């Protein structure tokens, strides 16, 4: 792994670059940052067999169902006042957002293991592989049913254990001297400095952190 103290040879291929699975999962995590859900922000990223991203999505209300008007709570005794009847899951949105003719034989990267409803859509759309970060709801019947359907339909699934626990996006990197190379993620000695610099619309934003979805 490249560190800030390594000497860098600008005539050789850069080391410490992001590998495909972490790049796609990080893209899913970045999409999740758009979610308005106060409890769980989930992102998904669909990739074709040429490693081209063909769709991303995050959990949110359907179009026309305004975030301010529809409920985000989860514990109301009145189910109509909870989010679950309304919110579109990240996987569904990623599939519906596809910019290719279809998602046949694609891989889907997602923060949380898909529920049974998403499994149906994944299977019917022809996605062949699911890569997830957390399976924290593995005991729920929706997850058990999901795996039963995915297994029957021969959709494979596996958990990504990223080498990089954190990936930092620093908008100031573009101002660097052209001789510099981007640091590997994470760049241990520079992370705190980068966090100081990372601001979005005047508020301090957190770096992308794979540990945000914590397994129970
Ligand atoms: N695979 C998944 C699982 C969940 N979601 C969404 C649905 C809700 O917006 C939220 C879960 O809420 P919680 O019960 O944790 O308060 O996450 C998804 O998009 N994909």
């Amino acid at each position: 792994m490249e560190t800030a103290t390594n000497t860098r040879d600008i005539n050789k291929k850069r080391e410490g670059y992001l590998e495909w699975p972490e790049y796609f999962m990080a893209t899913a995590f970045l999409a999740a940052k758009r979610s308005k859900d106060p409890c769980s922000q989930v992102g998904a990223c669909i990739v074709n067999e040429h490693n081209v991203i063909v769709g991303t999505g995050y959990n949110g209300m359907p179009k026309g169902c305004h975030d301010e008007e529809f409920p985000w709570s989860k514990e109301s005794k009145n189910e109509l006042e909870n989010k679950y009847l309304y919110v579109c899951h990240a996987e569904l949105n990623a599939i519906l957002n596809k910019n290719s003719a279809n998602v046949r034989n694609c891989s889907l990267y997602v923060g949380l293991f898909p529920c049974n409803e998403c499994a149906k859509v994944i299977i019917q759309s022809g996605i062949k592989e699911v890569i997830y970060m957390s399976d924290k709801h593995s005991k729920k019947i929706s997850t058990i049913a999901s795996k039963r359907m995915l297994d029957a339909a021969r959709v494979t699934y596996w958990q990504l254990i990223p080498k990089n626990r954190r990936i930092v996006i620093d908008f100031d990197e573009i101002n660097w001297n052209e001789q510099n190379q981007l640091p590997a993620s994470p760049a241990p000695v520079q992370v705190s400095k980068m966090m100081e610099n990372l601001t979005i619309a005047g508020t301090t934003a957190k770096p992308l952190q794979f540990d945000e979805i914590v397994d129970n």
Side-chain angles (χ1 to χ4, degrees), residues 37 39-40 42 59 74 83-84 87 89-91 112-115:
D37 191 317
C39 292
S40 299
V42 185
N59 54 329
K74 54 193 271 184
K83 62 187 171 185
Y84 297 110
V87 79
H89 285 197
E91 301 92 316
L112 272 180
F113 197 92
C115 71

Side-chain angles (χ1 to χ4, degrees), residues 117-189:
E117 291 301 327
C118 289
K120 295 176 196 174
V121 183
I122 288 166
I123 292 165
Q124 296 300 69
S125 68
I127 286 175
K128 66 161 193 344
E129 182 186 34
V130 173
I131 300 99
Y132 60 95
M133 280 288 299
S134 170
D135 195 12
K136 67 177 179 176
H137 298 310
S138 63
K139 301 272 181 334
K140 285 192 175 175
I141 56 167
S142 61
T143 309
I144 295 168
S146 171
K147 287 179 182 169
R148 184 173 172 180
M149 287 187 281
L150 295 173
D151 288 341
R154 296 183 196 283
V155 176
T156 56
Y157 46 86
W158 54 276
Q159 185 176 34
L160 177 68
I161 313 285
K163 279 187 275 177
N164 298 299
R165 299 309 304 179
R166 308 170 76 228
I167 291 170
V168 177
I169 295 173
D170 178 1
F171 286 126
D172 289 332
E173 275 173 353
I174 201 75
N175 296 327
W176 287 12
N177 178 312
E178 64 181 29
Q179 293 287 300
N180 275 320
Q181 293 183 17
L182 296 181
S185 284
V189 293

Side-chain angles (χ1 to χ4, degrees), residues 41 80-81 95 99-100 106 108 173 215:
Q41 302 83 45
L80 283 171
E81 292 310 318
I95 292 169
N99 56 19
S100 58
C106 285
L108 180 137
E173 275 173 353
D215 278 321

